[in-house]
Amino acid sequence: MAEHSVPAVLDRCGAGGPFASRLSRWVSWLIVLAIGFHGGMDNLELRTEADAILAELVGDPGGSARLREDQWQAVAALVEERRRALVVQRTGWGKSAVYFVATALLRRRGAGPTVIISPLLALMRNQVESAARAGIQARTINSANPEEWDAIYGEVERGETDVLLVSPERLNSVDFREQVLPKLATTTGLLVVDEAHCISDWGHDFRPDYRRLRAMLAELAPGVPVLATTATANARVTADVAEQLGTGAGEALVLRGPLERESLRLGVVQLPDAAHRLAWLAEHLDELSGSGIIYALTVAAAEEATAFLRQRGFTVASYTGRTENADRLQAEVDLQENRVKALVATSALGMGFDKPDLGFVVHLGSPSSPIAYYQQVGRAGRGVDHADVLLLPGKEDEAIWRYFADTAFPPEAQVRQTLSALADAGRPLSVPALEAAVDLRRTRLETMLKVLDVDGAVKRVKGGWTSTGQPWVYDTERYTWVAQQRTAEQQAMREYVSTSGCRMEFLRQQLDDEGATPCGRCDNCAGAWIDFSVSAEALTGAAKELDRPGVEVEPRRMWPTGMPALGIDLKGRIPAGEQCSTGRALGRLSDIGWGNRLRPLLAENAPDGPVPDDVLRAVVAVLADWARSRDGWASHAAEASARPVGVVALPSLSRPQLVGSLAEGIATIGRLPFLGALTYTGPSGAHAVRRSNSAQRLRTLSGSFAVSGELAGALAGTPGPVLLVDDYTDSGWTLAVAARLLRQAGSEQVLPMVLAAAG
């Protein structure tokens, strides 16, 4: 079970065979007996019972499995003292054993079911199976099984369920919060908060849904124990979580152990570019023992790496936010049973994948936080003596950090604007309806509303959100500090890559882990063991994979909600005769292939100029492949059409030479007439506005383009589909507005072609 168990000690002493087994049981009994005399016979009986439950849990009934003293301390605090406790221990320490053993003990003593709040669907599935071995009936409530919820609620009410695992987003569901949560709060025998660092907005992975737990903690019946667990909490986060746990119940017990992972060997492989990194991975993946996880920063990068490794003969599977649930389940099983060498995953895999013999974790690109990085790599080497952890940083990493950094709490003016819109409405407003009043992207708006909900300023009800009218104070100091913390984490990650000191010590210091000392194993302590070589053949293959151009650009089909309230008479489905067709982009900005080439070209302060020759050739290759596709120039049979009859450019205020030369270059090479460009009639800079929500983006664009008489005449003189050319698409609304105008002017179909797409 653990490195300090009696069998492990005997093994280190050289004992083995049947004698060792008998001696192990006798020594264990003497230890338990000593504990009993020290803490009383009741304590002895409870400890004996706890160890028996653990043996069943690990599949060794009647064997030598015993709780370690630190695990027993946590169990005793929950069962004997009915305390609230925060356990901060490294991944693999055995936190799940603590709450499953405590659950069985409490249930035998008449307590209600244990409720576990966990964001990790993969871990939920593992834990249901583990609990069953000890006769513990566990069920889950999460986004992947809504069809089972009613039956599960019934089982809980009838006392048939011992453990209910709930995803945190359920806490913010109106029905769950109003109908289920009150019952759970009064009947729960033990509340467990997994990944408890998510409670704190000081932490690297703050999740607003977790803030709901504070209300649940206050509503628990007196004497209900609470256990919060995490493997990644520095001193500030630990203090914050402990304070929240202790709300109304006295001071919480904090049990913090060393976060050292003695099985991990950390290293950094610095290579020139993405092609070298993929080639290195293909040539050295077989040298990594067992099976493991390859993390990528973006979905596009994960898919690129998966495709290339499969071409090179590796059995790997992609695991991202785009992966269907059934495919995720299959990928998890395949890795558990070592049928794949690796899962190539984004953070969608989370830290909840429970595979003790995971042999390696490789990162293609640096995460933006060393704490998040340590949590991800901590899944390796739990049940084996040695596991390799390798980071392959990329030049594009910081650009990707910036792209995904739109998560900070909004400025006070935008928050007040939201509160005013809700107060003035006099009825619940949905998030799409609020987008018409507040210039925030949907995910950021939803996050802000959840925080305001917990703070009591707004309330989620059926039909949307309402204002409570309660006073609310914008905590400028706190939000500023959190933003600064994110910046500091990014700087720490840069320092981790470049440090000449011990890498494990560096990560432990980031977590305020006392007693951090050099590990003696990492590439800086023991010397680099990594072969940095890449063959010309592998490099050519990787470059070819990354240079493969072309991704689909899905068109907008529906107008945003709330446009009439902004004075724009657009609502519902965009008429078929005004829609844009499915288009193409040379690449995504998040690609590690073409994304690396396009990001500098499209950067905010990049100089304007003619389209580079290699980029133009790649665009032409995309168009040629598009033309050869099964359905002609469209991706779907319903959109199939003839070859374009001409090229139209979107006007660009920031890159007129780039867009103009791209459109004219396509026309020249494709032997198509260049029909001209739409006319921009909006205010200066409005066309360049990006990353706002759909309603605000469309309001900015509405009325900002026109079809000149000359262009209208050219369209009338060349009936048929036209190719619409631009440099970049993010929300898709610029293409939608332009296509509508062109189709109203007589174009039979509008086929968008852009250099880069977001995401």
Side-chain angles (χ1 to χ4, degrees):
M1 173 63 186
E3 61 270 29
H4 301 305
S5 65
V6 171
V9 173
L10 291 172
D11 183 63
R12 291 177 185 177
C13 294
F19 173 75
S21 178
R22 290 194 297 272
L23 181 60
S24 169
R25 287 194 291 271
W26 275 105
V27 173
S28 296
W29 172 250
L30 289 172
I31 291 173
V32 172
L33 189 63
I35 293 169
F37 279 117
H38 184 266
M41 289 306 297
D42 288 344
N43 186 281
L44 171 61
E45 292 174 1
L46 186 66
R47 176 66 187 267
T48 302
E49 187 179 357
D51 286 338
I53 294 169
L54 176 67
E56 294 176 353
L57 190 67
V58 300
D60 185 28
S64 57
R66 300 288 184 271
L67 288 166
R68 295 191 309 269
E69 289 309 306
D70 47 6
Q71 291 174 313
W72 166 242
Q73 185 181 2
V75 170
L78 297 171
V79 178
E80 284 193 316
E81 304 174 38
R82 305 299 174 98
R83 292 197 65 176
R84 294 186 175 185
L86 169 62
V87 170
V88 183
Q89 297 282 1
R90 65 184 181 274
T91 303
W93 174 84
K95 295 183 282 290
S96 61
V98 168
Y99 51 72
F100 279 137
V101 169
T103 292
L105 293 172
L106 289 166
R107 291 288 279 169
R108 292 177 183 182
R109 286 154 180 77
T114 291
V115 176
I116 302 176
I117 309 297
S118 174
L120 309 173
L121 298 187
L123 185 58
M124 284 185 181
R125 291 187 278 269
N126 294 149
Q127 290 184 334
V128 168
E129 296 171 2
S130 298
R133 289 197 293 267
I136 298 172
Q137 177 69 22
R139 300 300 300 271
T140 70
I141 295 289
N142 59 69
S143 58
N145 68 340
E147 70 283 352
E148 300 177 11
W149 292 353
D150 289 341
I152 293 171
Y153 294 152
E155 292 173 11
V156 173
E157 289 186 359
R158 293 190 299 271
E160 298 170 1
T161 295
D162 300 308
V163 174
L164 180 65
L165 294 108
V166 181
S167 57
E169 67 266 18
R170 290 298 96 216
L171 301 177
N172 209 42
S173 162
V174 175
D175 288 340
F176 186 88
R177 200 170 69 199
E178 294 182 354
Q179 299 176 23
V180 180
L181 199 57
K183 295 178 183 177
L184 288 179
T186 57
T187 61
T188 295
L190 169 64
L191 176 64
V192 178
V193 183
D194 199 15
E195 305 300 329
H197 58 274
C198 298
I199 294 176
S200 175
D201 58 4
W202 305 108
H204 74 278
D205 195 21
F206 166 63
R207 303 189 186 192
D209 289 319
Y210 265 84
R211 297 279 297 267
R212 278 265 151 234
L213 286 168
R214 190 158 194 154
M216 187 175 179
L217 287 168
E219 295 169 2
L220 288 174
V224 174
V226 177
L227 173 66
T229 67
T230 180
T232 48
N234 58 21
R236 185 71 179 259
V237 172
T238 299
D240 189 23
V241 174
E243 180 184 358
Q244 295 190 49
L245 286 179
T247 302
E251 185 176 349
L253 172 68
V254 177
L255 301 172
R256 183 180 180 114
L259 302 180
E260 168 89 37
R261 292 297 307 278
E262 295 179 358
S263 62
L264 300 185
R265 180 169 63 165
L266 306 176
V268 174
V269 181
Q270 299 207 51
L271 296 166
D273 52 37
H276 278 81
R277 283 181 286 141
L278 274 189
W280 182 91
L281 190 59
E283 291 205 313
H284 298 281
L285 185 57
D286 269 338
E287 298 169 12
L288 301 176
S289 63
S291 55
I293 300 171
I294 301 168
Y295 278 106
L297 297 187
T298 68
V299 172
E303 292 175 348
E304 286 174 325
T306 300
F308 177 63
L309 290 174
R310 284 176 174 170
Q311 288 176 12
R312 303 290 294 188
F314 289 100
T315 306
V316 296
S318 181
Y319 193 113
T320 74
R322 292 181 189 162
T323 307
E324 294 292 337
N325 186 59
D327 293 331
R328 288 192 186 193
L329 289 171
Q330 187 60 55
E332 291 170 16
V333 171
D334 288 344
L335 184 59
Q336 288 280 11
E337 299 182 2
N338 296 315
R339 291 199 293 260
V340 294
K341 179 65 177 179
L343 295 187
V344 186
T346 63
S347 58
L349 182 61
M351 280 56 68
F353 191 79
D354 187 15
K355 181 176 170 61
D357 63 341
L358 202 71
F360 62 88
V361 172
V362 176
H363 277 75
L364 285 174
S366 297
S368 60
S369 161
I371 300 175
Y373 177 66
Y374 188 62
Q375 189 176 50
Q376 288 182 337
V377 304
R379 282 293 153 188
R382 291 177 50 191
V384 293
D385 293 333
H386 170 83
D388 283 328
V389 171
L390 298 173
L391 173 62
L392 280 63
K395 295 178 180 178
E396 72 277 4
D397 293 349
E398 296 198 26
I400 294 172
W401 296 350
R402 288 191 295 271
Y403 183 81
F404 289 113
D406 192 15
T407 57
F409 198 72
E412 184 172 6
Q414 289 181 312
V415 182
R416 298 293 178 193
Q417 188 179 16
T418 305
L419 293 173
S420 296
L422 290 172
D424 295 343
R427 59 181 176 83
L429 292 180
S430 65
V431 171
L434 272 171
E435 286 181 325
V438 185
D439 192 6
L440 287 171
R441 288 177 73 87
R442 181 165 299 185
T443 52
R444 197 175 181 196
L445 177 58
E446 289 175 335
T447 299
M448 180 190 73
L449 288 168
K450 290 175 181 178
V451 173
L452 293 175
D453 188 4
V454 176
D455 289 347
V458 304
K459 184 178 181 181
R460 189 171 187 175
V461 298
K462 289 186 177 181
W465 297 84
T466 62
S467 171
T468 64
Q470 297 296 318
W472 181 80
V473 177
Y474 188 90
D475 194 342
T476 303
E477 182 178 356
R478 187 178 186 88
Y479 300 138
T480 300
W481 192 96
V482 170
Q484 292 172 345
Q485 182 71 5
R486 300 295 176 265
T487 301
E489 288 174 350
Q490 293 180 4
Q491 178 57 32
M493 202 64 215
R494 298 184 191 99
E495 293 170 1
Y496 173 80
V497 170
S498 62
T499 185
S500 59
C502 174
R503 298 196 192 277
M504 178 62 75
E505 182 182 23
F506 182 96
L507 293 176
R508 292 179 66 191
Q509 288 173 344
Q510 289 296 310
L511 284 157
D512 298 322
D513 192 20
E514 294 183 3
T517 57
C519 69
R521 301 179 304 277
C522 71
D523 56 351
N524 286 339
C525 285
W529 76 93
I530 308 160
D531 181 357
F532 286 71
S533 65
V534 174
S535 71
E537 185 269 337
L539 184 59
T540 300
K544 184 177 179 181
E545 173 63 27
L546 294 178
D547 285 345
R548 182 176 290 116
V551 294
E552 284 192 356
V553 175
E554 289 294 326
R556 289 288 186 171
R557 305 292 190 191
M558 302 285 293
W559 296 118
T561 301
M563 297 311 298
L566 296 175
I568 300 171
D569 189 21
L570 297 173
K571 59 183 179 180
R573 185 172 181 82
I574 302 174
E578 297 180 359
Q579 285 186 15
C580 186
S581 293
T582 301
R584 293 291 189 277
L586 178 55
R588 300 186 186 96
L589 285 187
S590 57
D591 291 344
I592 57 175
W594 274 105
N596 284 344
R597 179 71 175 89
L598 294 170
R599 274 191 297 271
L601 191 65
L602 302 180
E604 186 175 348
N605 297 320
D608 186 27
V611 61
D613 289 341
D614 64 323
V615 174
L616 179 58
R617 287 194 300 270
V619 169
V620 171
V622 171
L623 292 171
D625 182 68
W626 191 2
R628 287 191 299 267
S629 66
R630 184 179 61 186
D631 295 324
W633 277 87
S635 302
H636 308 288
E639 296 180 352
S641 68
R643 186 173 186 270
V645 296
V647 178
V648 175
L650 267 158
S652 174
L653 301 182
S654 57
R655 287 182 281 272
Q657 290 186 62
L658 179 67
V659 176
S661 63
L662 175 62
E664 292 180 12
I666 291 172
T668 300
I669 296 173
R671 299 179 181 179
L672 299 170
F674 177 62
L675 304 179
L678 289 164
T679 303
Y680 182 69
T681 59
S684 175
H687 179 28
V689 174
R690 293 175 181 163
R691 296 186 67 75
S692 56
N693 66 54
S694 289
Q696 297 297 326
R697 179 70 174 140
L698 185 56
R699 180 176 71 169
T700 302
L701 292 168
S702 181
S704 293
F705 298 112
V707 177
S708 66
E710 183 179 356
L711 178 56
L715 292 170
T718 52
V722 296
L723 199 66
L724 178 63
V725 176
D726 200 5
D727 56 351
Y728 174 79
T729 182
D730 181 358
S731 67
W733 287 116
T734 299
L735 297 176
V737 168
R740 179 172 182 256
L741 289 172
L742 291 172
R743 298 206 66 180
Q744 288 175 336
S747 294
E748 295 178 6
Q749 192 176 11
V750 176
L751 304 165
M753 179 68 229
V754 298
L755 289 180

